[in-house]
Amino acid sequence: GCLTAGSGALGADVWFELAGVSGTVELSTCAAGGFDTAIVVYRTSCGGAPIACSDDDALCPANPVASTVEFSATCDERYLVRVAGVGASAGVGTLVVRQGGSACNSCPADLSRDGTIDGTDLAALLAAWGSAAADISGDGTVDGVDLSVMLAAWGPCQPSG
């Protein structure tokens, strides 16, 4: 199966945690630099059985040994994502995450997700200034709009609904 990726064991891996999403999630290494990858997704802990797994995606035009996997995510669930090289394959690559559902965070300025918008969140926002990494407003860039949204929501997050 995918955990042994056909002829080679998985190695040279990197793990990610994905949370706060719902609906269909697609993960892809199609942009990886030409090395053989596999993607394995677990619910909450790596000790359980994988809920999705992919090795080799013939639809990746530049790298058919890259991987693409889709799974259905639910709010309040955390997912562990393993991106691994197959056999001795290793290299630098990109994991692309596409979400077909909706975000679950009812308090988007709470970047640390601790229930309070405070200095920790402000530090994260400022560290991501000019990038898209902590974009609150959804315009693709962390800027003054995001800072305004954060400051207007400062303090404990309000329950949604």
Side-chain angles (χ1 to χ4, degrees), residues 55-56 69 71 75 79 109 123 136:
D55 176 39
D56 296 348
V69 67
F71 67 98
C75 291
Y79 301 92
I136 299 168

Side-chain angles (χ1 to χ4, degrees), residues 23 27 39 48 59 115 117 124 134 155 157:
L27 307 170
I39 302 171
L59 298 178
I117 301 165
C157 291

Side-chain angles (χ1 to χ4, degrees), residues 124-139:
L125 185 81
L126 295 176
W129 198 266
S131 74
D135 179 31
I136 299 168
S137 66
D139 65 3

Side-chain angles (χ1 to χ4, degrees), residues 32-97:
F35 64 95
D36 195 357
T37 63
I39 302 171
V40 187
V41 181
Y42 298 90
R43 186 172 276 117
T44 308
S45 70
C46 60
I51 61 168
C53 192
S54 171
D55 176 39
D56 296 348
D57 183 350
L59 298 178
C60 291
N63 185 10
V65 293
S67 301
T68 301
V69 67
E70 283 188 359
F71 67 98
S72 182
T74 58
C75 291
D76 301 323
E77 184 74 60
R78 294 186 178 278
Y79 301 92
L80 292 178
V81 178
R82 180 184 188 192
V83 179
V86 176
S89 288
V92 176
T94 300
L95 177 65
V96 176
V97 180

